[in-house]
Amino acid sequence: MNIEGFLTAVAVSATGGIIAISAGFYLFKNEIREMIKPLPAQIPSVAAADHKEERLQMLPLRLQAHERLILFIERINPANLFVRLHQQGIPLAALQSLVLNEIRSEFQHNVAQQLYVSPTTWAVICKLKDDTLAMVSNAAKSLPEGAEGVDLSKKVLQHMAEISDNPYDLTQGLIKKDIQQLF
């Protein structure tokens, strides 16, 4: 093959390619323009509608989380906790261990609920849990050797009676305010 034949073949191929690309462009120019065009102004309203739909879908999950946290607070409230766990003649150390394990277990069972409540509410719940653990431990330490489980119950409940603002009620009130902000 000579040079002239080769150049002719390249020119014919290039011309054919240019014609094919041009024909494709003219056939699909409207579609190409639509793809290149900036997003229409309607998108924010669509995004807002999507966001609203997302919030509506999350509402039941958030309400359930608030319900579970109120139940958690009820379950770790010493007035309910000692009634539920106390057994006749249980030694002090056994009741203390049972109570502390119950509080930790309840907390671990509800730890995922932090995804659905405000960071402030979750921090208050964590503090309430920690304060309850400390209150039970401190009450057990302050009792004389040979004390019974019933003495721990009395000591903790007596301490709770001396507190002017019940922290369990206050925390439940905070959760209820959190719920009201959902609506």
Side-chain angles (χ1 to χ4, degrees), residues 94-169:
L95 182 59
Q96 178 188 4
S97 177
L98 190 61
V99 167
L100 296 179
N101 286 337
E102 181 74 9
I103 294 168
R104 289 182 186 117
S105 175
E106 287 287 338
F107 182 76
Q108 287 303 317
H109 184 69
N110 289 292
V111 75
Q113 305 314 313
Q114 67 184 298
L115 296 172
Y116 305 106
V117 298
S118 71
T120 303
T121 299
W122 182 249
V124 170
I125 290 168
C126 290
K127 176 141 178 46
L128 182 68
K129 184 253 319 173
D130 292 340
D131 289 350
T132 304
L133 291 169
M135 178 176 48
V136 171
S137 295
N138 291 337
K141 288 177 189 174
S142 71
L143 291 171
E145 196 171 311
E148 298 282 324
V150 70
D151 298 322
L152 177 62
S153 297
K154 287 179 185 176
K155 183 81 172 177
V156 170
L157 294 175
Q158 180 183 21
H159 174 72
M160 287 299 301
E162 294 171 357
I163 298 175
S164 61
D165 292 325
N166 185 323
Y168 303 91
D169 293 341

Side-chain angles (χ1 to χ4, degrees), residues 7 25 29 35 46 55 70 75 79 83 85 87 98 123 145 154 156 161 168 175 178-179 181:
L7 290 176
F25 176 77
K29 70 181 175 184
M35 286 191 296
V46 171
R55 287 183 58 208
I70 286 177
R75 291 184 62 81
V83 168
L85 298 179
Q87 302 161 6
L98 190 61
E145 196 171 311
K154 287 179 185 176
V156 170
Y168 303 91
I175 291 173
D178 217 20
I179 291 172
Q181 291 178 354

